[in-house]
Amino acid sequence: MKTEIIRRKFQGGPPLEIPVATIDGAVSGPIFTVISGMHAGEYSGVLAAQRLIQTLDAGRLSGTLRVVPIVSTAAFLARNMQLSPIDEREVHYYAPGNPGGSYTEFQIDTLYSILRGSDFVIDMHSGEFAQALHPWVPVPMVGAPDVQEASRSLSMGYRVEYVELRRERSSVPRLAAYLADDGIANLWAEVGKNGLPDEEHIAIHHDGVIAAMQTVGMLPGPPERPPQKTVEGRRFQVNANQSGVWHSYVREGEIVDAGQELGKITDYFGETLEVYMAPERALVLYYWSSPAIDHTRRPHGYDWHAGLVSLLTLDSVIEPAG
Ligand SMILES: [Zn+2]
């Protein structure tokens, strides 16, 4: 195994550091790259990445496994949440190709120098400190049909209730769409909540990657095939219209009906300012468990900090076989 830290100078900002571990198998084969820590408080992925680096048996591996345990090291060390602490951008929604732009664009361009040439990429995410999240695996169904199918096959070993096939390009994070367009099968797994490095979530991330590597023939043995529901729907987020103290009435993983109360914003004293309703029947992917809501905080137009509940309509649900 080889470990290195990619270091790059950035004009007008702190230097960039991205750690990479490379494990070469006994025989040649595909290149599989696993990344985590893009969003700095999503620790279950980071610890799963460390587990892969420390425990994967290179003697059983065909091909090469690359692992980036922490994509956003500056944000990680700052205990930052979701957005870059340097330019307040959302790394997942930037594509490579403009290294002379912002720090985040420089960062994603440097990250792509590591991802380029991969056959498969898994990007491990979870719920941030302020997010209570129901584990699920979104698959970008964009790009060539064979790449879409390969991406989908990577999801089949995850012990999650839902695998979401996401076909609407505008709702696919730009990095995931860029990878798919570049012929790299990929998914991003959302497992873990509230920034907690919980053992169950670490294991789901880790075992999901192992199953994906078995699926593509890079590790021996039959891959795990836990029961999963395959869902397609429309993602949307209920945002705050005013700042205040958020009280959620719903929990992650719950299905809410149209008109059901999702929660309320109160003033500092607890007086209700506004009650929020579900506009249609949908699955609660996550809600913001932090009561502190500043609805004006939308750096570069990104509304993460104004979010209250993230929902997915269940337009199509395929129940697990058997
Ligand atoms: Zn994330």
Side-chain angles (χ1 to χ4, degrees):
M1 190 207 357
K2 182 181 91 170
T3 60
E4 61 187 316
I5 295 181
I6 310 287
R7 292 191 169 85
R8 298 278 186 275
K9 283 202 175 73
F10 176 70
Q11 284 296 341
L16 180 70
E17 288 193 350
I18 302 182
V20 189
T22 304
I23 302 169
D24 285 315
V27 294
S28 61
I31 299 173
F32 202 121
T33 305
V34 177
I35 66 176
S36 63
M38 175 184 287
H39 301 132
E42 301 177 357
Y43 299 132
S44 57
V46 172
L47 297 190
Q50 289 197 337
R51 188 169 294 178
L52 281 169
I53 294 166
Q54 295 296 326
T55 64
L56 192 99
D57 180 359
R60 289 160 51 85
L61 176 66
S62 304
T64 298
L65 174 66
R66 281 192 208 129
V67 184
V68 177
I70 305 175
V71 168
S72 302
T73 46
F76 177 83
L77 294 174
R79 291 184 180 160
N80 198 73
M81 188 162 57
Q82 194 73 12
L83 306 180
S84 166
I86 293 137
D87 63 12
E88 292 212 286
R89 291 174 198 271
E90 215 288 29
V91 182
H92 214 176
Y93 284 84
Y94 284 84
N98 188 23
S102 67
Y103 182 86
T104 289
E105 288 173 298
F106 180 72
Q107 180 188 357
I108 211 77
D109 198 74
T110 305
L111 176 65
Y112 210 72
S113 69
I114 301 164
L115 299 176
R116 186 178 291 121
S118 301
D119 298 286
F120 309 102
V121 170
I122 285 183
D123 183 6
M124 299 191 284
H125 288 254
S126 64
E128 275 281 6
F129 303 112
Q131 272 176 305
L133 178 146
H134 188 64
W136 96 105
V137 177
V139 181
M141 298 299 278
V142 298
D146 61 323
V147 175
Q148 294 183 22
E149 274 318 299
S151 295
R152 189 173 176 173
S153 77
L154 299 177
S155 72
M156 296 166 78
Y158 279 86
R159 292 190 301 276
V160 294
E161 185 176 7
Y162 296 102
V163 168
E164 180 202 355
L165 305 183
R166 204 174 288 188
R167 299 183 193 276
E168 202 182 310
R169 187 171 275 270
S170 64
S171 72
V172 175
R174 282 194 67 200
L175 179 62
Y178 191 97
L179 286 165
D181 289 339
D182 207 14
I184 301 174
N186 77 102
L187 59 74
W188 71 106
E190 297 276 4
V191 183
K193 58 184 276 191
N194 293 113
L196 295 169
D198 178 87
E199 171 55 32
E200 182 194 351
H201 297 139
I202 297 165
I204 292 171
H205 268 307
H206 172 271
D207 298 351
V209 170
I210 295 295
M213 294 179 73
Q214 290 174 320
T215 299
V216 301
M218 291 178 67
L219 286 174
E224 201 178 343
R225 288 287 181 260
Q228 300 168 331
K229 294 173 190 160
T230 305
V231 303
E232 291 189 46
R234 189 173 57 80
R235 269 293 306 281
F236 66 102
Q237 178 172 309
V238 174
N239 284 332
N241 299 313
Q242 51 197 313
S243 301
V245 181
W246 164 239
H247 303 245
S248 179
Y249 298 159
V250 295
R251 290 289 171 265
E252 73 276 16
E254 186 179 325
I255 294 171
V256 294
D257 285 315
Q260 184 176 331
E261 291 186 357
L262 298 173
K264 65 181 177 182
I265 296 265
T266 71
D267 66 12
Y268 294 134
F269 304 101
E271 295 296 330
T272 299
L273 296 174
E274 188 171 3
V275 175
Y276 292 84
M277 250 76 92
E280 53 194 305
R281 183 174 182 271
L283 168 69
V284 177
L285 294 171
Y286 51 86
Y287 69 95
W288 274 259
S289 48
S290 165
I293 301 291
D294 174 2
H295 90 293
T296 66
R297 189 176 171 192
R298 297 179 191 222
H300 308 285
Y302 192 63
D303 60 1
W304 194 85
H305 285 280
L308 302 175
V309 182
S310 177
L311 297 153
L312 174 70
T313 60
L314 299 168
D315 301 349
S316 155
V317 181
I318 300 168
E319 297 288 333

